[in-house]
């Protein structure tokens, strides 16, 4: 009897209607329990998967898709779902047991790949699962190369929904390895993908600008964002995001006058919490550039206390608070509290935690 992951996978089929249908296990966009959506898949693209449920068609975006169980004539539903179920089961193990079970899952996917070649969509999905499996296998087995696996998948498949999560996974790996140029190139390809919807292209281009800024290439980031803004309609709901990101690059270059208006407009507007965190942090940077450190501190405090849903932006606020509480207020205790909070595992992998660790370790080594 398989564990919870396999049981969930089999439940995809048990929950389906009597006539054979495709089933998508999706995340609830409102944050509730994951659900199964059964019907007939009509179309797949970087925009997501369109599935006909009854008389209506539903588009499920890439970030909400957990697993797909395709109905195929030559592969039973249970056979198709077994590798994924065992993959979820293996992830509950550790060490040698996980390594062995994940290797077994890879073998199962390879066997399934041969059987689904008559369905381009199912074949692409199985190849995607193999590429993503390499991410977890590499943690237990250094011989597994997830970067190559993801690159090969992206080269062979640019038109399906899987290109979006595969690109994000690859770019994240490359950034973690210090290959900023490689990560940027991956996002640039997605941003230029003609089959990707506008929101996916925008998100990818914003990531390009972020990486350029991280490399202190603020002028290049500014030009990238100006090009993105030029291609948007004035009433595009994402326009504010682009303007805030653009203002951040201008602040970093000392162009505070150009950045002031869009940042103040953003914090006064009705944008979501993520936008607010971006805007308040950028406004904090603006006040620091304008030699108003006390005002800057208040902007970062708002992110820490209220708009703290985004880990990177929260880490950015804590990093600046760590500096400012000591430099502006002379409050060593609050400064230390912010540093300790930033060093917590909650912010593992964030750029600003890495900066703080590097600086504190350097200070300890200094004579």
């Amino acid at each position: 009897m398989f564990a919870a992951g396999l049981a969930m996978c089999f439940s995809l089929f048990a929950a389906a209607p009597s006539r054979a249908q495709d089933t998508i296990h999706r995340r609830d966009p409102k944050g509730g329990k994951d659900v199964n959506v059964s019907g007939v898949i009509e179309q797949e693209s970087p925009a997501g998967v369109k599935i006909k449920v009854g008389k209506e068609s539903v588009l499920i975006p890439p970030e909400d898709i957990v697993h797909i169980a395709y109905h195929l004539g030559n592969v039973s539903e249970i056979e198709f779902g077994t590798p994924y179920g065992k993959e979820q089961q293996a992830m509950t193990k550790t060490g040698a047991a996980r390594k062995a079970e994940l290797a077994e899952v890879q073998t199962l996917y390879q066997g399934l790949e041969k059987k689904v070649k008559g369905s381009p969509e199912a074949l692409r999905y199985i190849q995607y699962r193999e590429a993503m499996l390499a991410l977890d296998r590499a943690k237990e087995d250094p011989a597994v190369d997830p970067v190559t696996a993801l690159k090969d998948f992206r080269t062979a498949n640019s038109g399906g929904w899987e290109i979006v999560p595969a690109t994000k996974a690859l770019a994240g790996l490359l950034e973690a390895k210090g290959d900023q140029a490689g990560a940027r190139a991956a996002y640039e390809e997605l941003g230029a993908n003609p089959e990707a919807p506008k929101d996916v292209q925008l998100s990818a281009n914003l990531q390009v600008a972020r990486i350029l800024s991280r490399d202190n290439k603020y002028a290049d980031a500014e030009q990238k964002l100006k090009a993105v803004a030029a291609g948007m309609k004035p009433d595009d709901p994402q326009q504010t995001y682009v303007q805030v990101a653009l203002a951040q690059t201008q602040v970093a270059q000392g162009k505070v006058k150009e950045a002031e208006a869009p940042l103040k407009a953003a914090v006064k507007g009705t944008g979501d919490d993520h936008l607010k965190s971006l805007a308040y942090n950028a406004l904090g940077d603006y006040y620091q550039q304008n030699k108003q450190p006390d005002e800057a501190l208040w902007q970062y405090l708002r992110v820490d206390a209220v708009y703290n849903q985004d880990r990177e932006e929260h880490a950015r606020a804590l990093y600046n608070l760590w500096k400012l509480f000591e430099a502006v207020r002379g409050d060593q205790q609050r400064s230390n509290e912010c540093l300790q909070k930033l060093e917590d595992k909650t912010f593992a992998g964030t750029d600003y935690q890495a900066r703080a660790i590097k600086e504190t370790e350097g200070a300890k080594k200094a004579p």
Side-chain angles (χ1 to χ4, degrees), residues 13 17 43 58 70 103 105 121 146 196 200 260 264 292 310 313:
F13 316 123
Q43 184 182 19
V58 179
Y70 291 90
V105 170
E121 294 79 11
V200 170
E260 181 179 9
K264 290 185 175 180
Q292 295 174 270
D310 185 281
E313 292 304 316

Side-chain angles (χ1 to χ4, degrees), residues 285-350:
D285 295 349
Y286 161 81
Y287 281 121
Q288 287 204 75
Q289 284 275 11
N290 218 30
K291 302 189 185 304
Q292 295 174 270
D294 201 61
E295 282 295 329
L297 185 144
W298 283 109
Q299 313 313 311
Y300 300 127
L301 274 174
R302 286 186 173 92
V303 178
D304 180 38
V306 182
Y307 304 109
N308 53 25
Q309 292 77 15
D310 185 281
R311 285 193 327 128
E312 279 288 354
E313 292 304 316
H314 193 187
R316 177 181 170 190
L318 288 169
Y319 176 87
N320 283 286
L321 289 170
W322 164 46
K323 303 276 190 177
L324 290 171
F325 268 120
E326 181 179 6
V328 179
R329 298 286 180 85
D331 191 336
Q332 191 63 54
Q333 181 178 342
R334 290 292 300 277
S335 175
N336 289 340
E337 287 173 357
C338 290
L339 177 59
Q340 289 169 5
K341 194 172 180 180
L342 178 57
E343 290 175 333
D344 186 79
K345 64 181 180 180
T346 304
F347 299 102
T350 61

Side-chain angles (χ1 to χ4, degrees), residues 28-160:
D28 183 345
K30 296 181 180 179
K33 187 178 179 180
D34 294 353
V35 296
N36 296 331
V37 179
S38 294
V40 178
I41 291 177
E42 299 178 306
Q43 184 182 19
E44 298 187 24
S45 74
V49 177
K50 184 186 290 187
I51 182 169
K52 190 170 186 179
V53 182
K55 294 182 179 181
E56 296 185 359
S57 294
V58 179
L59 179 65
I60 302 177
E63 59 270 21
D64 288 348
I65 299 172
V66 179
H67 173 61
I68 298 181
Y70 291 90
H71 170 67
L72 301 171
N74 64 324
V75 180
S76 72
E77 294 173 334
I78 291 178
E79 184 182 7
F80 189 91
T82 294
Y84 177 76
K86 284 202 169 188
E87 180 183 346
Q88 302 312 299
Q89 182 188 28
M91 292 306 295
T92 66
K93 309 292 179 61
T94 58
R98 178 185 287 187
K99 177 181 177 181
E101 291 191 22
L102 288 177
E104 179 187 351
V105 170
Q106 174 66 15
T107 301
L108 289 172
Y109 275 134
Q110 288 172 338
L112 188 57
E113 187 178 343
K114 296 175 182 178
K115 293 186 176 182
V116 302
K117 287 187 175 180
S119 170
E121 294 79 11
L123 177 61
R124 183 178 61 232
Y125 176 68
I126 295 303
Q127 291 174 339
Y128 164 72
R129 293 258 34 116
E130 291 181 78
M132 296 298 282
L133 178 67
L135 284 170
D136 292 320
R137 291 187 66 207
K139 296 172 185 176
E140 310 296 337
D141 186 353
V144 177
D145 183 1
V147 170
T148 297
L150 286 162
K151 281 184 175 180
D152 288 347
F153 173 80
R154 292 178 69 255
T155 299
N157 302 281
S158 62

